[in-house]
Amino acid sequence: ELKVEQNPLFLSMQEGKNYTIYCNYSTTSDRLYWYRQDPGKSLESLFVLLSNGAVKQEGRLMASLDTKARLSTLHITAAVHDLSATYFCAVEDDSWGKLQFGAGTQVVVTP
Amino acid sequence: EAQVTQNPRYLITVTGKKLTVTCSQNMNHEYMSWYRQDPGLGLRQIYYSMNVEVTDKGDVPEGYKVSRKEKRNFPLILESPSPNQTSLYFCASSYRGMRGDTDTQYFGPGTRLTVL
């Protein structure tokens, strides 16, 4: 059974500093997704990572996937207040279509 | 505008009264999926569909039914709702190629369901 572990679950960031969120999973997969959710809102897709070594960047966010280590990272560069949200990773198991979410990382960025 | 719509957005009902939450997308996406979000339990997949007439169980399918008769619609049916189905429900869709290639998943605005 696929298990997805995300850490930390809560991250207090100072503006201007760099941080990383980790997403570990338990079985083979080469499809991993990152989402953002603002309080009271729906989910917004950030990145789709489909192969080992995939790296994607958008603004201050960069996501990477290491399928051998079963690990994805979401790196935040020079945090700003607008990045305050909850970030989820989700892994698709080998029977395509079935997704397992991590517990989410609540990010709060303060001056 | 590309979008996933869900109706109703809010619903309060009673135990045992059948209900349907509709989901529709206008992007001609092959893949559609239902999730529920609960405090402390996070996001869990209920059912998904890789294309018309193809549906599969996610992690928590008990008490739910789905159908995919047309590409754009993926309704979630609760035949006999119970209080433990009180939750926030999201529908989502994405492109799926023949070789399983995929892209951004678009989420609907959510349906907050309360079963008394």
Side-chain angles (χ1 to χ4, degrees):
Chain A
E1 183 190 339
L2 174 60
K3 292 197 184 307
V4 180
E5 190 174 301
Q6 207 175 318
N7 62 81
L9 298 184
F10 181 80
L11 192 46
S12 178
M13 298 185 182
Q14 281 189 330
E15 279 190 334
K17 293 195 173 178
N18 303 334
Y19 298 88
T20 301
I21 300 171
Y22 299 90
C23 178
N24 290 90
Y25 54 97
S26 60
T27 66
T28 56
S29 172
D30 57 3
R31 289 154 183 263
L32 192 138
Y33 308 88
W34 284 97
Y35 302 98
R36 168 186 171 140
Q37 186 178 36
D38 293 305
K41 304 285 189 184
S42 183
L43 283 87
E44 174 190 351
S45 183
L46 294 174
F47 300 109
V48 179
L49 302 169
L50 298 179
S51 61
N52 186 41
V55 177
K56 295 224 176 144
Q57 183 163 7
E58 180 77 34
R60 299 174 188 275
L61 302 178
M62 184 174 72
S64 65
L65 177 61
D66 181 344
T67 58
K68 291 184 174 58
R70 299 176 187 171
L71 170 69
S72 178
T73 58
L74 180 66
H75 188 71
I76 298 169
T77 301
V80 293
H81 179 72
D82 283 355
L83 293 178
S84 296
T86 299
Y87 294 83
F88 294 94
C89 65
V91 181
E92 188 168 337
D93 72 11
D94 282 349
S95 58
W96 291 335
K98 193 167 183 180
L99 262 67
Q100 195 75 234
F101 282 80
T105 298
Q106 185 182 358
V107 167
V108 175
V109 182
T110 54
Chain B
E1 180 194 350
Q3 61 181 355
V4 178
T5 56
Q6 292 180 229
N7 282 291
R9 295 287 311 281
Y10 303 90
L11 179 60
I12 301 173
T13 189
V14 295
T15 298
K17 187 176 181 182
K18 181 179 179 179
L19 67 93
T20 299
V21 184
T22 65
C23 174
S24 184
Q25 49 96 1
N26 64 358
M27 295 165 279
N28 201 36
H29 284 162
E30 292 76 14
Y31 180 84
M32 296 186 76
S33 184
W34 277 103
Y35 307 94
R36 61 179 288 177
Q37 186 173 30
D38 302 285
L41 295 174
L43 281 150
R44 294 177 292 168
Q45 190 178 42
I46 304 171
Y47 270 97
Y48 62 97
S49 169
M50 297 294 274
N51 215 322
V52 177
E53 302 290 2
V54 180
T55 62
D56 271 299
K57 295 177 182 178
D59 263 354
V60 287
E62 296 78 21
Y64 304 94
K65 282 176 58 176
V66 292
S67 68
R68 187 93 183 272
K69 293 182 170 40
E70 333 163 73
K71 205 170 185 182
R72 65 182 294 126
N73 296 323
F74 191 43
L76 180 69
I77 303 156
L78 285 72
E79 295 265 1
S80 183
S82 62
N84 65 13
Q85 292 178 298
T86 293
S87 187
L88 178 58
Y89 292 86
F90 291 105
C91 178
S93 75
S94 67
Y95 161 77
R96 284 281 163 153
M98 292 297 287
R99 290 174 295 173
D101 45 313
T102 186
D103 206 339
T104 302
Q105 189 165 191
Y106 292 84
F107 283 78
T111 295
R112 188 166 290 283
L113 172 65
T114 301
V115 183
L116 302 174

